[in-house]
């Protein structure tokens, strides 16, 4: 007995010394649990604390308890049947459950006890120095048993020490918050932001990453203070802080830098677009009026942006350059954002104009379809075409998909454009057929339809409305779309194929479709990835991959088409290796519908 009591005293002394010396909060709590476990065989210990709402208990220390158990314990609501800790906290008194499988106090969590062989559990409320319950300390046993007097004493003393550790941690956290938080808004303050930015720069250097600093200044904020008073001004700042918080990602750091200035650090940015999206959200959020004491205060923001490592490598320069860019935004009319490097601002402004113009293009019927014929290997034109969408821009002329399709995706316009392409192609094909022109099918790239929620229904509806027989429509699906989680897509393609629609596997050879999957795909044609053709530049180029693709297709009874044929050499090699159809500028560029009609009439 004396030996165990001595061990208890020694472990308590060591832990309390660690607390007095400012030891790590988590390590100290874990050490408390582990020390208690050594004194009770076949047991594990844990500490749970209330969340901010004081409605739920979450595990804060359980060094030897599996994550799966912790996950099920988190969110415990104190009541009479949710386990020992829930009851101990509810009644502010120790609870000793010797048989969790029979005791009614465990009736709601009996499954947890069975799943993890928790057969006994003793819990004691953890209190702060004012006596308020802040959590619980528990000893869970893998055998049914009542606690001895020593074990009850151990539970009480451990709960008391846990209370000391938690209160010390809360005091340290409170001191930290006061030193590093802005009192008015609750955001980081200037010193904290500078420290975070300094660490971020060091990390970005090591990992060759990019980051952005956004300097946000409220436009005409002084007028709000002068008109409505400083209390209203404070209300506006608090509201703007909440709105800016909604704009940031979880990994970003937002601070009130002083007065009506805020700063935002974006780490690990992949491209300029992610920065501009955040900046635009800030502009949009800040432009909405703020209600204060019955008044509607109109505010807006000017945002300056600097980038690491593009603009600067040091903290002060990054902040200074973002500040300069912010004043540039103000000089340009306020309520906008500006990059320190003016060239980037011009790029962003051009994208914004393009976004606005895209929406008008759909309304004004500025999109047109061009058609590229497919050819046989002897150079004769086949009876098949591929429809390609172009934008007849009123100022920039004819634009290909590479110029506008990424923006269509960003703006969420893909559904509208894809349905327009399908409808226009079907209408045009039906028109040619009604004129008696010889035509087998018109192909459309399926990548346009990847955002459609009910692709099969949309295609069926368009075919019905245009009265185009399904056999004249071909859908080209990229191989990469069939690699992961593609069962629904394959099912929809099977249904379309049963209706008569031709299905081609596009960009074949790079997407990673297995031979087993290839054999069961509902396809009628293989379209070889253009990279295989691009590499055929000299007579002695090795065409083994092309031979392999053609042989595979032949075994499956599928014809092969090669795209982007630019030279006679490419045509000769592909024809020799057994390709069935060819497409590219060597034979014909994409043509307007009127030119295609002339070609078809002249045959």
């Amino acid at each position: 007995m004396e030996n165990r009591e001595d061990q208890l005293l020694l472990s308590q002394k060591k832990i309390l010394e660690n607390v007095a010396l400012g030891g790590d909060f988590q390590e100290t709590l874990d050490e408390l649990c582990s020390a208690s476990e050594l004194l009770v065989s076949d047991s594990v210990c844990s500490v749970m604390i209330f969340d901010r709402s004081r409605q739920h208990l979450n595990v804060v220390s359980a060094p030897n308890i599996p994550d799966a158990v912790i996950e099920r314990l988190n969110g415990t609501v104190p009541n009479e049947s949710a386990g020992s800790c829930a009851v101990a906290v509810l009644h502010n008194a120790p609870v000793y459950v010797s048989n969790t499988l029979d005791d009614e106090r465990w009736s709601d969590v009996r499954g947890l006890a069975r799943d993890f062989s928790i057969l006994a559990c003793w819990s004691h409320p953890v209190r702060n120095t004012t006596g308020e319950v802040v959590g619980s300390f528990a000893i869970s046993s893998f055998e049914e048993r009542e606690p001895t007097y020593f074990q009850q004493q151990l539970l009480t003393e451990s709960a008391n020490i846990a209370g000391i550790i938690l209160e010390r941690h809360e005091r340290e956290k409170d001191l930290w918050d006061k030193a590093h938080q802005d009192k008015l808004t609750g955001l980081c303050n200037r010193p904290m932001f500078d420290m975070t930015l300094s660490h971020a720069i060091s990390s970005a250097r090591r990992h060759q990453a990019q980051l952005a600093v956004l300097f946000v200044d409220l436009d005409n904020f002084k007028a709000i203070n002068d008109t409505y008073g400083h209390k209203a001004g404070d209300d506006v700042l608090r509201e703007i802080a909440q709105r800016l918080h909604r704009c940031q990602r979880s990994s970003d750091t937002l601070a009130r830098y002083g007065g009506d200035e805020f700063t935002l650090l974006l780490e690990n940015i992949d491209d300029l677009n992610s920065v501009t999206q955040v900046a635009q959200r800030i502009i949009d959020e800040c432009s909405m009026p703020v209600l204060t004491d019955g008044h509607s205060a109109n505010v807006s923001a000017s945002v300056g942006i600097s980038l690491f490592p593009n603009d600067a490598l040091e903290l002060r320069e990054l902040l200074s350059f973002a500040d300069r860019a912010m004043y540039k935004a103000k000089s340009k009319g306020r309520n906008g954002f500006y990059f320190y490097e003016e060239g980037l601002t011009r790029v962003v402004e051009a994208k914004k104009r393009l976004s606005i113009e895209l929406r008008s293009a759909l309304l004004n019927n500025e999109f047109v379809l061009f058609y590229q014929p497919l050819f046989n290997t002897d150079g004769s034109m086949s009876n098949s075409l591929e429809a390609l969408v172009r934008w007849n821009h009123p100022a920039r002329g004819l634009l290909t998909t590479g110029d506008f399709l990424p923006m269509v995706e960003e703006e969420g316009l893909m559904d509208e454009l894809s349905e327009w392409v399908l409808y226009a192609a079907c209408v045009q094909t039906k028109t040619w057929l009604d004129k008696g022109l010889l035509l087998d099918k018109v192909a459309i790239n399926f990548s346009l339809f990847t955002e459609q929620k009910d692709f099969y229904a949309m295609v069926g509806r368009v075919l019905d409305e245009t009265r185009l027989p399904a056999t004249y429509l071909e859908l080209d699906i990229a191989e990469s779309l069939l690699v992961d989680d593609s069962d629904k897509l394959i099912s929809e393609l099977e249904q379309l194929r049963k209706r008569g629609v031709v299905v081609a596997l596009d960009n074949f050879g790079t997407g990673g479709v297995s031979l087993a999957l290839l054999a069961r795909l509902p396809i009628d044609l293989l379209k070889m990835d253009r990279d295989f053709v691009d590499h055929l530049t000299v007579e002695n180029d090795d065409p083994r991959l092309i031979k392999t693709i053609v042989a595979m297709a032949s075994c499956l009874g599928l014809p092969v088409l090669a795209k982007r044929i630019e030279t006679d050499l490419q045509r000769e090699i592909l024809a020799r290796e057994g390709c069935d159809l060819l497409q590219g500028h060597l034979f014909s560029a994409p043509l307007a519908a009127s030119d295609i009609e002339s070609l078809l009439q002249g045959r």
Side-chain angles (χ1 to χ4, degrees):
M1 178 68 72
E2 289 182 5
N3 186 41
R4 284 190 306 170
E5 289 176 348
D6 287 345
Q7 280 184 274
L8 175 59
L9 288 171
L10 282 172
S11 64
Q12 289 176 351
K13 180 173 180 291
K14 181 181 177 184
I15 292 166
L16 289 172
E17 284 176 353
N18 200 18
V19 174
L21 293 171
D24 179 77
F25 158 73
Q26 190 64 59
E27 287 181 6
T28 308
L29 269 184
D30 289 350
E31 186 179 350
L32 174 66
C33 289
S34 298
S36 300
E37 290 168 358
L38 291 174
L39 296 170
V40 182
S41 62
D42 231 6
S43 70
V44 288
C45 297
S46 61
V47 180
M48 300 183 79
I49 60 171
F50 275 117
D51 62 9
R52 287 181 180 275
S53 71
R54 289 192 60 81
Q55 301 296 313
H56 307 93
L57 291 168
N58 294 315
V59 176
V60 69
S61 177
N64 297 306
I65 293 180
D67 290 342
V69 178
I70 294 173
E71 189 175 333
R72 288 169 68 171
L73 287 172
N74 283 339
T76 295
V77 178
N79 64 57
E80 298 285 3
S81 53
S84 303
C85 295
V87 179
V89 166
L90 184 68
H91 293 294
N92 190 11
V95 170
Y96 307 108
V97 173
S98 58
N99 186 345
T100 59
L101 301 183
D102 291 337
D103 199 299
E104 284 303 308
R105 289 170 291 184
W106 271 73
S107 59
D108 289 351
V109 285
R110 198 89 72 204
L112 177 69
R114 287 197 193 95
D115 292 347
F116 297 97
S117 301
I118 302 169
L119 301 182
C121 184
W122 318 318
S123 183
H124 196 292
V126 172
R127 309 179 184 96
N128 59 22
T129 51
T130 65
E132 180 186 28
V133 177
V134 295
S136 66
F137 184 93
I139 300 175
S140 301
S141 174
F142 302 124
E143 58 183 77
E144 294 179 19
R145 57 181 172 183
E146 293 280 354
T148 64
Y149 173 77
F150 171 78
Q151 289 163 347
Q152 292 181 28
Q153 183 186 27
L154 170 66
L155 184 69
T156 301
E157 292 301 324
S158 297
N160 291 339
I161 293 174
I164 294 170
I165 296 169
L166 289 169
E167 182 151 5
R168 173 65 179 264
H169 177 64
E170 282 301 310
R171 286 179 181 173
E172 289 176 348
K173 186 174 179 296
D174 186 52
L175 288 171
W176 172 271
D177 289 346
K178 286 178 179 177
H180 297 91
Q181 275 190 347
D182 175 61
K183 187 176 180 181
L184 179 67
T185 63
L187 300 178
C188 293
N189 59 15
R190 184 172 186 154
M192 182 61 184
F193 183 83
D194 286 354
M195 183 168 64
T196 305
L197 177 56
S198 178
H199 289 313
I201 291 171
S202 298
S203 176
R205 278 203 188 96
R206 287 195 305 272
H207 299 102
Q208 296 184 324
Q210 298 182 80
L211 56 84
V213 174
L214 280 65
F215 209 103
V216 182
D217 186 86
L218 300 185
D219 300 324
N220 299 316
F221 178 73
K222 184 176 182 296
I224 295 174
N225 275 332
D226 293 344
T227 304
Y228 304 116
H230 287 281
K231 181 182 180 302
D234 288 348
D235 290 343
V236 169
L237 289 173
R238 278 190 287 264
E239 173 62 22
I240 292 297
Q242 290 180 22
R243 294 183 185 182
L244 293 177
H245 180 67
R246 292 199 294 265
C247 297
Q248 71 178 110
R249 306 168 305 174
S250 58
S251 59
D252 299 336
T253 302
L254 174 65
R256 182 186 177 206
Y257 212 63
D260 62 341
E261 296 174 336
F262 298 84
T263 48
L264 180 60
L265 166 64
L266 309 183
E267 296 188 63
N268 299 313
I269 56 175
D270 297 322
D271 52 41
L272 199 61
N273 188 52
S274 59
V275 181
T276 58
Q277 284 179 348
V278 173
Q280 188 58 55
R281 283 202 298 271
I282 289 172
I283 300 302
D284 295 341
E285 285 281 353
C286 292
S287 63
M288 294 184 290
V290 177
L291 294 177
T292 171
D293 288 338
H295 302 291
S296 178
N298 292 314
V299 292
S300 64
S302 296
V303 182
I305 307 167
S306 63
L307 302 174
F308 172 95
N310 304 53
D311 298 329
L313 301 175
E314 303 298 332
L315 181 147
R316 286 298 151 210
E317 283 186 327
L318 277 170
L319 287 167
S320 175
F321 291 169
D323 187 44
R324 286 192 215 174
M326 180 269 292
Y327 279 106
K328 190 75 172 180
K330 284 187 179 292
S331 71
K332 292 285 184 178
R334 306 174 190 272
N335 194 34
F337 61 87
Y338 211 83
F339 284 89
Y340 176 71
E341 184 184 327
E342 293 192 19
L344 293 180
T345 300
R346 287 193 292 272
V347 169
V348 171
E349 288 175 346
K351 285 185 71 176
K352 286 172 70 175
R353 283 196 302 272
L354 188 66
S355 169
I356 295 168
E357 291 166 352
L358 265 174
R359 295 182 181 276
S360 300
L362 281 165
L363 295 173
N364 299 334
N365 294 315
E366 293 172 10
F367 289 104
V368 295
L369 290 183
F370 273 51
Y371 299 86
Q372 190 170 30
L374 276 56
F375 286 78
N376 300 306
T377 52
D378 62 4
S380 61
M381 181 176 159
S382 75
N383 297 324
S384 298
L385 307 168
E386 180 177 3
L388 302 164
V389 64
R390 299 289 185 259
W391 181 6
N392 192 9
H393 193 282
R396 298 170 61 188
L398 202 63
L399 303 180
T400 63
T401 51
D403 297 317
F404 63 85
L405 206 57
M407 182 61 70
V408 170
E409 291 181 291
E410 286 179 24
E411 294 299 313
L413 299 174
M414 193 60 88
D415 279 4
E416 294 175 60
L417 180 60
S418 62
E419 189 161 351
W420 180 88
V421 168
L422 181 64
Y423 194 89
C426 289
V427 166
Q428 182 62 74
T429 305
K430 183 68 166 63
T431 300
W432 283 330
L433 292 172
D434 290 345
K435 290 182 178 182
L437 299 178
L438 188 61
L439 192 63
D440 284 345
K441 58 183 179 291
V442 172
I444 298 174
N445 195 314
F446 175 85
S447 62
L448 287 170
F449 307 104
T450 53
E451 300 299 319
Q452 287 281 356
K453 290 185 175 63
D454 198 346
F455 167 63
Y456 172 75
M458 188 269 287
V459 174
R461 185 180 69 254
V462 171
L463 287 172
D464 290 339
E465 289 177 4
T466 59
R467 297 185 178 180
L468 176 70
T471 52
Y472 290 96
L473 175 64
E474 176 190 304
L475 293 175
D476 295 350
I477 174 169
E479 182 186 8
S480 57
L481 295 176
L482 293 167
V483 176
D484 299 314
D485 194 24
S486 57
D487 288 346
K488 181 176 181 292
L489 174 56
I490 292 173
S491 174
E492 289 184 327
L493 292 173
E494 284 173 342
Q495 292 177 69
L496 287 169
R497 195 160 175 254
K498 286 176 183 176
R499 180 166 178 164
V501 174
V502 178
V503 178
L505 186 60
D506 204 6
N507 303 329
F508 180 71
T510 59
V513 166
S514 67
L515 294 179
L517 178 58
L518 181 62
R520 68 180 183 89
L521 286 178
I523 55 175
D524 305 282
L525 172 69
L526 281 186
K527 292 193 171 184
M528 192 185 306
D529 189 80
R530 60 187 61 183
D531 284 349
F532 295 116
V533 176
D534 290 344
H535 293 150
L536 299 176
T537 56
V538 294
E539 180 62 41
N540 61 355
D541 274 342
D542 188 352
R544 279 182 295 180
L545 288 174
I546 293 172
K547 284 182 180 179
T548 302
I549 291 171
V550 171
M552 287 169 55
S554 178
C555 289
L556 296 170
L558 298 172
V560 176
L561 178 142
K563 300 190 292 185
R564 206 157 74 178
I565 315 300
E566 308 286 345
T567 67
D568 285 320
L569 176 63
Q570 291 171 336
R571 179 186 63 78
E572 290 169 7
I573 295 174
L574 291 163
R576 186 177 70 226
E577 298 305 332
C579 286
D580 301 282
L581 292 167
L582 305 174
Q583 180 182 356
H585 280 71
L586 177 66
F587 306 103
S588 172
L591 301 172
S594 57
D595 295 328
I596 288 291
E597 188 166 320
S598 298
L599 273 177
L600 294 174
Q601 287 173 338
R603 300 184 68 194

